[in-house]
Amino acid sequence: MKARIHITLKDGVLDPQGKAIHNSLEGLGFDGVNGVRQGKFIEIELDGDDAAAAKAKVSAMCEQLLANMVIEDYSVKIDG
Amino acid sequence: MKARIHITLKDGVLDPQGKAIHNSLEGLGFDGVNGVRQGKFIEIELDGDDAAAAKAKVSAMCEQLLANMVIEDYSVKIDG
């Protein structure tokens, strides 16, 4: 099965990468943009067919390695 | 409205960052991982309330700036 993980900066944490994208979009002439936030998207292929166990395992991966829990949030979705 | 963009490497393009995550997960004792791919996740706040126009605009942003169309694919979802 496949786990789809989104890792995003917590609200209130400055996002210089998002700000740089915002400025570049304006430089290219795209108007009407009020804000840009950049995060990470990670797909993990896992053995097994127990979705609840997979979700628990991937959450542990996020907390131990993938996300910086001080400044980032994560969400995990398991696809069959 | 908010646009949610996923930018992922095309199939067949090597992903050294995903490989590094895979190795680190194994080093931490997580088994049963068959593959890891890392991509980008970008959220853009937009003016207006025309979802079709927003999608076209964000697709143009992806092709001109956000994605490297030679090696990356993108997908756009518009939330009301």
Side-chain angles (χ1 to χ4, degrees):
Chain A
M1 64 184 59
K2 183 177 273 188
R4 293 161 54 89
I5 305 163
H6 289 89
I7 298 172
T8 50
L9 287 169
K10 288 182 197 283
D11 287 343
V13 175
L14 278 179
D15 180 359
Q17 211 169 357
K19 186 75 190 150
I21 292 172
H22 191 166
N23 291 343
S24 297
L25 288 173
E26 287 181 342
L28 286 170
F30 290 105
D31 52 4
V33 176
N34 292 322
V36 180
R37 303 282 283 176
Q38 170 152 9
K40 281 176 269 187
F41 174 60
I42 300 172
E43 289 175 305
I44 300 183
E45 272 296 339
L46 291 164
D47 285 339
D49 53 8
D50 180 342
K55 186 160 187 175
K57 187 177 192 174
V58 173
S59 296
M61 291 175 186
C62 287
E63 293 182 18
Q64 288 180 44
L65 178 70
L66 302 175
N68 176 347
M69 298 303 296
V70 178
I71 56 169
E72 292 173 326
D73 289 323
Y74 67 88
S75 70
V76 177
K77 271 186 209 158
I78 305 291
D79 293 339
Chain B
M1 63 186 55
K2 184 177 271 188
R4 295 161 53 87
I5 305 163
H6 289 88
I7 297 172
T8 51
L9 287 169
K10 288 182 198 283
D11 287 343
V13 176
L14 278 179
D15 180 359
Q17 210 169 359
K19 186 73 190 154
I21 293 172
H22 192 166
N23 290 343
S24 298
L25 288 172
E26 287 181 343
L28 286 170
F30 290 104
D31 52 5
V33 176
N34 292 323
V36 180
R37 302 283 281 178
Q38 171 154 6
K40 281 177 269 188
F41 173 60
I42 300 172
E43 288 173 306
I44 300 184
E45 273 295 340
L46 290 164
D47 285 338
D49 53 7
D50 180 342
K55 187 160 187 174
K57 187 176 191 173
V58 174
S59 296
M61 292 176 185
C62 288
E63 293 181 17
Q64 288 181 44
L65 178 71
L66 303 174
N68 176 347
M69 299 302 297
V70 179
I71 57 168
E72 292 172 327
D73 289 323
Y74 68 88
S75 70
V76 177
K77 272 185 207 158
I78 306 291
D79 294 339

